Amino acid sequence: MKKITFFSLLSVISSCVFAQIGGKTSFNFLALHTNARIAAIGGENISVIDKDVNSFLYNPALLRDTVQGDFSINYTPFYADISKTDVAYALPTKRWGTIGLGLAYIGYGEMKQRNIAGQEEGTFKPREYAFVVSKSHQINHFSMGVNVKLAGSHIQEYSAFSILADIGGVFQHPKKEFTAGLLFKNVGWVIDNYEKSTQSLTPFDIQLGLSYKLNHLPLRISATAHHLNRPDIQYIDPAIHQQFTSDGEIETQEKTISEQILSLIHI
């Protein structure tokens, strides 16, 4: 029997994570929350095995036959008419088993177009999207999965396209409610850039997650480390953390090891 779930999440973009590494890559909308549940547990989780059709969007190894026929729509409004829509569907097939199909779309509202003199010349609507096809395979207590994504970005007359993949794995303990996940996210390349003279980078990310459910309490603890391929993601604002020495020179506060570690982990 098909099940339909609909979540409406009235929230704003979390600035504590993505703002620290913004401006380095293209297609960064792929790092935004995909549904209300994942947003509620910190925005990153690749190790929780549950009957949730959205799971394959953040780790393809979590796709299970138990969600066959399930369909989910998530709508997230942000600032200034920006909105994001995510769709997930677990397609049952006789030959290939369960195949995950997804769509992520973000619209940035209507913007005014101006020339170099500042004169208005009309409006345009930037938008980005990604089509996702997912497949997983389970062997004993291990499962592997792959998401293949075609992403597009359109800003006025400029467009860019990329082919990306998420490659994930999950280990589930045979006796205890302990799971561990490893994910190589957004592996791929840009096949068509905004301009031929520029080279965009994809938002590649390596994540490691652990989840454990306590035996005698209805409580599950999860921790997810992200950007392990780029451990120093903490941004220190010089306007806030600058100090003056006795000689009148500017001295910027150094990053501590504990701050760098905590900036990589969602609990």
Side-chain angles (χ1 to χ4, degrees):
M1 179 178 178
K2 294 183 178 181
K3 297 182 179 179
I4 299 177
T5 59
F6 178 81
F7 294 96
S8 177
L9 175 63
L10 299 176
S11 64
V12 296
I13 300 177
S14 174
S15 61
C16 62
V17 179
F18 303 114
Q20 297 171 354
I21 54 174
K24 300 295 184 181
T25 60
S26 299
F27 304 99
N28 285 309
F29 76 99
L30 295 172
L32 294 175
H33 309 146
T34 58
N35 60 83
R37 182 187 182 192
I38 196 67
I41 58 177
E44 300 283 355
N45 194 301
I46 63 169
S47 55
V48 173
I49 299 177
D50 211 342
K51 196 177 184 300
D52 183 0
V53 68
N54 297 285
S55 297
F56 75 87
L57 293 176
Y58 39 91
N59 188 351
L62 297 176
L63 182 64
R64 294 291 191 272
D65 291 337
T66 56
V67 297
Q68 278 191 2
D70 287 8
F71 177 77
S72 173
I73 298 178
N74 298 272
Y75 175 74
T76 309
F78 294 119
Y79 292 112
D81 295 330
I82 300 173
S83 62
K84 186 171 186 286
T85 302
D86 294 277
V87 178
Y89 176 57
L91 175 68
T93 66
K94 292 183 179 180
R95 182 175 181 180
W96 303 103
T98 304
I99 296 177
L101 301 176
L103 169 65
Y105 178 88
I106 184 168
Y108 296 96
E110 188 174 81
M111 298 184 180
K112 294 181 179 180
Q113 179 179 336
R114 300 180 185 274
N115 59 22
I116 193 171
Q119 297 173 333
E120 188 174 335
E121 294 184 338
T123 60
F124 63 100
K125 295 182 178 180
R127 62 198 184 279
E128 295 181 298
Y129 53 84
F131 299 99
V132 184
V133 178
S134 180
K135 188 69 180 75
S136 67
H137 182 67
Q138 188 171 357
I139 302 177
N140 295 327
H141 308 297
F142 295 89
S143 60
M144 296 286 294
V146 176
N147 286 341
V148 178
K149 298 183 283 190
L150 174 62
S153 176
H154 303 276
I155 305 173
Q156 213 248 358
E157 74 268 21
Y158 301 99
S159 297
F161 297 93
S162 65
I163 295 179
L164 305 167
D166 301 333
I167 304 171
V170 171
F171 166 74
Q172 185 175 15
H173 196 280
K175 296 181 179 179
K176 298 181 180 180
E177 294 199 48
F178 169 80
T179 54
L182 177 64
L183 177 67
F184 296 86
K185 187 175 182 180
N186 296 322
V187 181
W189 60 92
V190 178
I191 57 177
D192 190 8
N193 221 323
Y194 298 103
E195 288 186 322
K196 294 182 179 180
S197 59
T198 61
Q199 180 60 47
S200 299
L201 298 176
T202 59
F204 177 60
D205 186 7
I206 299 177
Q207 299 180 358
L208 176 65
L210 305 173
S211 293
Y212 178 69
K213 186 178 182 301
L214 302 180
N215 292 330
H216 304 291
L217 285 176
L219 179 65
R220 179 163 49 196
I221 300 174
S222 295
T224 303
H226 58 94
H227 290 94
L228 296 179
N229 56 304
R230 187 182 173 187
D232 188 9
I233 67 170
Q234 185 189 17
Y235 172 70
I236 293 182
D237 189 346
I240 299 176
H241 297 280
Q242 279 186 351
Q243 296 179 350
F244 290 92
T245 65
S246 57
D247 298 329
E249 296 181 355
I250 297 177
E251 182 180 47
T252 303
Q253 177 184 344
E254 297 293 333
K255 305 172 185 178
T256 65
I257 295 178
S258 60
E259 287 175 335
Q260 293 185 43
I261 293 175
L262 291 175
S263 68
L264 295 170
I265 300 176
H266 285 262
I267 299 176

